[in-house]
Amino acid sequence: MKKFCVFACALIAALSAAFTGGCTKTESHRASYDISCEYSDGLLIGSETVSFYNFTENSFKCLKFNLYGNAFRKGAKYSPISEQYKRRAYYSGESYGETLVENVCSEGKELKFEVCGEDMNILKVELEKELFPEERAAVTIDFKVKLANVISRTGVNAETVNLGNFYPVLCGIENGAFYECVYYSSGDPFFSDCADYNVKFSVDNKFVVAASGETIDKTDSGNKAVYTFSLKNARSFALVISEKFNVITDVTTGVTINYYYYKDASPEKSLKTAVEAIKFFGETYGEYPYKTFSVVETKFIQGGMEYPGLVYVSDELEEAAYREVVVHETAHQWWMAVVGNNETECGFLDEGLAEYSVIVFYDAHKEYGFTREQLVSSCEKTYKNFCTVYDKLYGKKDTSMTRSLKDFSSEYEYVNIAYVKPCLMYDAVRTGMGDAKFFGCLKKYYSTYKFLNAAPQDLSGVFEKAGTGAQEILEAFFAGKEVM
């Protein structure tokens, strides 16, 4: 997710002058989702059949799913929206949503289930028999999602309906067990393994539908449109719908890049930026793996939000900031969608690389008006100001990067640790080892952990093999012991 404040100084100046768990690479070892759902008037009614392959060395008596929609329910322990954004997010006043699980079965037999977890955020399904390593189990879940009137990843707003994280999502595997995500308001509280998605989505045909995957089929039945989408080897699946969308498309990169917009006065420029970013990051890090990529203008409190094959960009941004968010969210296709990580425990891994990728992109595209030196200098000023503020407030500062979202005192702290500081870290490593070795290491990191989940030690381990001392710099930054 892009929290638009990292390069604010530079933009203003320019305008005025642990364990690597996770998905395997073979299709036979991935989970699969067959989702069928219908949306109408703030209610999503759906059914999904999820087939889970046990790639761990442990056995399971139950499967666990994240119910992200329950974060919006009345009485939730944790608010999905931070206090500073609540008034803007809940644009029409107090509003609630929730996920209701109606039935779970396997091969026609009903299974026992309960909604539990720290904040009623987990669906626990008891399997009929214990699932041993290299075995597969499939369950079918019937569910309803009531959407809040809220400008967020999931919710109804005045322009669009955002459907990120709308279905029960298998908990990611970490250390051989299911990891339960709590929906904290700071950062992106998500962690999942790759899976194959087949999604059938029914909606009033007045809506234009943007989706993570490739459109396999579309049929009309009365006033309903029924879409069939496919997405392979992805961590999640998202949709955005609107009656107001216009769509323009580019296929020059070999990827079908769609831009959905309703307010953007320069849509061709936005699409051009997305096309340039897909091409550049593909050349710099490794090939983009999906057939389509959708950039979607939508209502969103933060700058943007990433999903495999689809990203949100807030319609509230000015032109320069809008382009920056397009680049940042596109970079997440490499750092989150393909190379994953536990975003709840080490969000800096994907956010920091996505943010530094903006610097790399602008440095290679001088026509945007920003230089590497300018943007790194802006990061230095921002980070030093943060350290000064926290010294005064708390008498000390914790600048360690490897910590859970729950351990951040504010979004301000999270932005500086997960976005700003990593830019300084990567630039220091790049300066020390040179461009050829630096980008060689990132290519190696991408190819090694493609469709897997990486941990901080995996990243530093790739750099260690380059033999330049970069590992020590990275680990010092991770621990908050760097010398600036």
Side-chain angles (χ1 to χ4, degrees):
M1 178 167 64
K2 174 64 175 175
K3 295 175 180 289
F4 182 70
C5 69
V6 177
F7 295 149
C9 294
L11 288 171
I12 292 170
L15 290 173
S16 64
F19 169 87
T20 304
C23 45
T24 63
K25 294 183 179 180
T26 59
E27 186 171 352
S28 61
H29 292 177
R30 291 198 295 268
S32 66
Y33 291 79
D34 284 290
I35 303 173
S36 179
C37 54
E38 180 174 353
Y39 173 81
S40 180
D41 297 326
L43 182 66
L44 193 74
I45 300 175
S47 179
E48 66 178 27
T49 296
V50 182
S51 177
F52 170 73
Y53 177 83
N54 184 2
F55 57 84
T56 76
E57 296 179 353
N58 302 322
S59 63
F60 294 100
K61 294 182 179 179
C62 67
L63 301 182
K64 291 185 178 181
F65 297 80
N66 290 297
L67 299 178
Y68 294 118
N70 267 358
F72 296 89
R73 77 188 193 286
K74 189 171 185 178
K77 181 178 178 180
Y78 299 99
S79 171
I81 310 293
S82 64
E83 288 297 326
Q84 72 185 93
Y85 294 122
K86 276 187 176 179
R87 182 171 294 181
R88 285 172 54 206
Y90 291 102
Y91 56 93
S92 60
E94 204 171 66
S95 182
Y96 300 101
E98 62 180 329
T99 299
L100 301 172
V101 178
E102 299 191 317
N103 186 60
V104 182
C105 66
S106 178
E107 297 180 345
K109 297 179 181 179
E110 291 192 2
L111 300 178
K112 294 181 180 179
F113 68 90
E114 63 173 321
V115 176
C116 53
E118 187 175 347
D119 196 15
M120 301 298 285
N121 55 310
I122 299 297
L123 169 64
K124 181 180 178 181
V125 177
E126 293 186 22
L127 297 172
E128 196 169 33
K129 62 179 182 178
E130 193 168 356
L131 186 68
F132 290 97
E134 300 184 5
E135 291 184 342
R136 186 176 283 275
V139 300
T140 298
I141 302 168
D142 297 326
F143 63 95
K144 291 181 180 178
V145 182
K146 179 182 180 296
L147 299 176
N149 293 322
V150 61
I151 301 172
S152 186
R153 300 177 183 95
T154 316
V156 179
N157 62 68
E159 308 292 349
T160 65
V161 179
N162 291 338
L163 294 172
N165 320 107
F166 67 88
Y167 56 95
V169 182
L170 271 169
C171 294
I173 298 290
E174 188 166 76
N175 297 321
F178 290 110
Y179 180 92
E180 301 180 12
C181 293
V182 175
Y183 208 125
Y184 301 111
S185 60
S186 291
D188 297 330
F190 310 121
F191 176 53
S192 58
D193 298 309
C194 289
D196 294 336
Y197 285 86
N198 291 294
V199 179
K200 184 171 285 188
F201 181 67
S202 178
V203 68
D204 193 303
N205 57 21
K206 68 183 178 181
F207 288 104
V208 177
V209 179
S212 285
E214 179 185 13
T215 302
I216 302 300
D217 186 45
K218 180 192 174 186
T219 59
D220 293 308
S221 178
N223 66 338
K224 293 285 185 182
V226 181
Y227 295 82
T228 301
F229 302 107
S230 176
L231 184 63
K232 304 293 184 183
N233 229 341
R235 300 182 188 283
S236 61
F237 188 95
L239 301 155
V240 184
I241 65 174
S242 177
E243 298 178 49
K244 301 180 180 180
F245 277 150
N246 300 293
V247 189
I248 54 177
T249 301
D250 185 281
V251 296
T252 58
T253 61
V255 177
T256 300
I257 302 175
N258 300 307
Y259 179 47
Y260 297 81
Y261 68 97
Y262 49 86
K263 181 180 174 183
D264 189 350
S266 304
E268 293 81 8
K269 288 184 179 180
S270 299
L271 178 61
K272 181 174 180 287
T273 299
V275 171
E276 290 174 342
I278 286 285
K279 182 177 185 293
F280 177 73
F281 294 138
E283 294 169 348
T284 304
Y285 302 133
E287 186 180 6
Y288 177 77
Y290 306 120
K291 294 180 179 179
T292 64
F293 179 54
S294 294
V295 177
V296 185
E297 180 182 34
T298 186
K299 288 289 183 187
F300 198 60
I301 291 298
Q302 305 291 357
M305 182 63 204
E306 68 279 0
Y307 296 95
L310 180 147
V311 299
Y312 300 175
V313 183
S314 172
D315 68 357
E316 297 182 6
L317 300 173
E318 296 298 326
E319 183 174 338
Y322 198 94
R323 305 285 176 266
E324 181 194 326
V325 171
V326 170
V327 176
H328 176 97
E329 301 305 344
T330 302
H332 269 303
Q333 299 305 302
W334 281 260
W335 316 121
M336 184 288 296
V338 178
V339 179
N341 56 275
N342 188 332
E343 297 175 82
T344 301
E345 298 295 338
C346 49
F348 78 91
L349 266 183
D350 64 292
E351 290 297 354
L353 272 172
E355 193 72 341
Y356 191 68
S357 293
V358 176
I359 295 178
V360 174
F361 176 87
Y362 280 149
D363 194 44
H365 295 78
K366 306 297 185 187
E367 64 273 19
Y368 285 87
F370 305 107
T371 66
R372 172 186 174 188
E373 293 74 20
Q374 178 186 17
L375 295 173
V376 171
S377 176
S378 177
C379 286
E380 288 175 349
K381 291 176 183 177
T382 301
Y383 186 66
K384 286 178 181 177
N385 287 339
F386 158 73
C387 291
T388 299
V389 168
Y390 265 59
D391 273 342
K392 290 181 178 179
L393 285 175
Y394 302 111
K396 61 178 181 179
K397 58 183 179 297
D398 178 6
T399 64
S400 62
M401 299 163 72
T402 52
R403 41 180 164 144
S404 171
L405 292 179
K406 70 177 184 296
D407 297 326
F408 288 95
S409 62
S410 65
E411 291 205 38
Y412 174 60
E413 182 183 22
Y414 176 73
V415 166
N416 276 278
I417 298 301
Y419 291 70
V420 184
K421 183 180 174 182
C423 288
L424 303 178
M425 176 180 73
Y426 289 119
D427 204 67
V429 170
R430 179 181 174 186
T431 299
M433 69 192 310
D435 281 10
K437 288 186 177 180
F438 177 76
F439 289 110
C441 285
L442 289 182
K443 284 182 177 179
K444 184 65 174 177
Y445 179 57
Y446 180 76
S447 64
T448 301
Y449 295 98
K450 189 175 185 178
F451 303 128
L452 300 173
N453 284 310
Q457 62 267 27
D458 297 321
L459 174 65
S460 60
V462 170
F463 279 86
E464 178 186 18
K465 292 177 182 177
T468 61
Q471 181 193 23
E472 289 76 14
I473 298 175
L474 291 170
E475 292 181 350
F477 270 86
F478 294 167
K481 297 178 180 179
E482 73 283 350
V483 178
M484 300 292 290

